[in-house]
Amino acid sequence: MKKMLVLSLFLMLYACNYSFAEEFVIKINDVRAKAGETITVNIEISNSKPVVAFQMDIPLPLGFQYVPNSITLNQDRGKGHIVQANVLPDSNVLRIISFSMSNANYTGSDGVIASFTLKTPKATANFPLKVENAIVADVSATNLLTGTVDGTVRLGD
């Protein structure tokens, strides 16, 4: 009986810890379009606690081109935050950085935080948009990231 009580208590504590697990995830939403079109790619962040900055790299598939200065923050989530995106020199890696000069938190805890535009190739296929080197930071500059979700661009006729 005593073993059963200890086991029950252990399972309850484990369940409590699991249900209160913190989540800080960057996700690239999937996109469907015709080959050769310009597309908008949405980035989502889910955060259990307030965050003030994020950074990520996205290796662009062959034939994709970032439209310069097309990165924008979702006005519902940003509070005067800065966002920049550029293709790294001698690569096809898009680096996105967003932060607050005053360490203000993004508003909300889920949903689209930023969007950018890509020119697509004329090939019909599925192309991965992978999240690499990602950071989701709080006011103390601690990287809280717990996961990433890659996206897919599906180009058809």
Side-chain angles (χ1 to χ4, degrees):
M1 182 69 171
K2 196 174 194 181
K3 286 182 182 179
M4 194 67 156
L5 182 60
V6 170
L7 180 60
S8 296
L9 183 58
F10 174 78
L11 289 175
M12 284 182 7
L13 289 173
Y14 179 79
C16 286
N17 282 339
Y18 181 75
S19 66
F20 294 117
E22 294 178 350
E23 179 179 81
F24 299 89
V25 177
I26 291 181
K27 175 184 178 186
I28 298 176
N29 289 343
D30 293 342
V31 180
R32 283 184 179 261
K34 290 185 178 180
E37 287 186 342
T38 300
I39 60 170
T40 298
V41 178
N42 292 318
I43 301 166
E44 292 188 16
I45 293 183
S46 298
N47 49 288
S48 302
K49 290 182 186 174
V51 295
V52 301
F54 71 91
Q55 176 178 324
M56 62 193 295
D57 290 345
I58 304 170
L60 299 177
L62 188 64
F64 282 72
Q65 294 177 330
Y66 170 67
V67 175
N69 303 312
S70 66
I71 188 82
T72 59
L73 281 175
N74 178 346
Q75 295 300 316
D76 293 336
R77 302 246 6 227
K79 287 180 168 176
H81 288 77
I82 295 167
V83 66
Q84 290 289 318
N86 288 297
V87 176
L88 298 177
D90 301 320
S91 76
N92 207 26
V93 176
L94 179 65
R95 174 159 293 161
I96 299 170
I97 300 172
S98 179
F99 61 94
S100 167
M101 293 292 287
S102 64
N103 280 334
N105 296 318
Y106 295 103
T107 58
S109 60
D110 195 29
V112 173
I113 197 153
S115 302
F116 63 92
T117 305
L118 295 175
K119 292 180 184 176
T120 67
K122 296 192 190 261
T124 59
N126 293 336
F127 299 90
L129 290 180
K130 296 182 178 283
V131 178
E132 295 183 352
N133 305 317
I135 297 169
V136 175
D138 64 8
V139 71
S140 65
T142 302
N143 185 5
L144 304 171
L145 187 71
T146 59
T148 62
V149 178
D150 300 333
T152 301
V153 177
R154 291 175 174 82
L155 298 179
D157 294 327

